Amino acid sequence: MIERERFIEIVRDTPLVSVDLLLVRGGNELLLGLRNNRPAQGCWFVPGGAIRKGEPRAAALQRVAARELQIADLLALRPQLLGVFEHFYPDCFAGDIGVSTHYVVIAHRIDVPAGFEVPGIDSQHRSLRWWPLAEAAGSDAVHRYTRDYLPLLAG
């Protein structure tokens, strides 16, 4: 595990590569979490996280799904690459300390059946909620980077 001060230096000096998990239930709802942590603290956002050095993308998807949602075998749900995006934040995980965050995000769509329930939640989120796509698109409570994904989920 990287020490806090070293990780602040990394975030200050380099972009982070991450995965986002867009769980779409029944073709019309998106799973969002209300974030406890920076960046995007207090916003509804899709689950996701940074890829670790030497970690294959599939392993990162599995780790993030297991940690944040307690989904043990995300790969069995057949994630589909949605695209690559960039997210820029004025702050970082350590707070508003003058260090911005730049993510290169590899987003994945995961279709789950109507009625699918997430097994659990981690400390990064105050709550999880299934949002109808149209409602998420029109809500300022949903982070703009999450809303950017929504046109790609329609249909």
Side-chain angles (χ1 to χ4, degrees):
M1 189 60 101
I2 299 173
E3 294 177 18
R4 178 182 166 90
E5 293 305 314
R6 176 69 181 120
F7 194 55
I8 290 171
E9 291 176 10
I10 291 168
V11 171
R12 183 191 67 224
D13 296 339
T14 64
L16 302 174
V17 179
S18 66
V19 292
D20 273 358
L21 285 61
L22 286 77
L23 276 78
V24 178
R25 184 169 75 172
N28 61 5
E29 295 179 300
L30 179 65
L31 180 70
L32 301 179
L34 184 57
R35 288 188 50 82
N36 285 324
N37 303 332
R38 291 179 186 250
Q41 185 178 43
C43 292
W44 290 93
F45 211 99
V46 297
I51 298 174
R52 297 176 178 163
K53 172 96 174 167
E55 181 180 44
R57 181 172 48 98
L61 288 167
Q62 289 275 76
R63 177 181 50 79
V64 169
R67 185 188 73 227
E68 294 191 18
L69 307 172
Q70 282 73 60
I71 295 175
D73 188 5
L74 184 78
L75 297 183
L77 298 174
R78 300 171 55 188
Q80 300 169 355
L81 180 64
L82 186 65
V84 178
F85 302 82
E86 287 189 290
H87 298 172
F88 297 91
Y89 301 94
D91 60 354
C92 71
F93 75 95
D96 190 8
I97 60 170
V99 175
S100 63
T101 306
H102 173 193
Y103 284 103
V104 176
V105 182
I106 307 168
H108 298 79
R109 178 182 179 140
I110 302 104
D111 286 293
V112 297
F116 180 88
E117 292 299 332
V118 174
I121 187 173
D122 72 342
S123 63
Q124 278 194 73
H125 302 100
R126 272 182 253 168
S127 64
L128 295 174
R129 177 179 159 203
W130 292 101
W131 286 71
L133 295 175
E135 182 183 342
S139 175
D140 288 337
V142 175
H143 196 279
R144 70 180 177 101
Y145 290 138
T146 292
R147 290 194 318 262
D148 286 347
Y149 293 138
L150 298 176
L152 301 173
L153 301 179

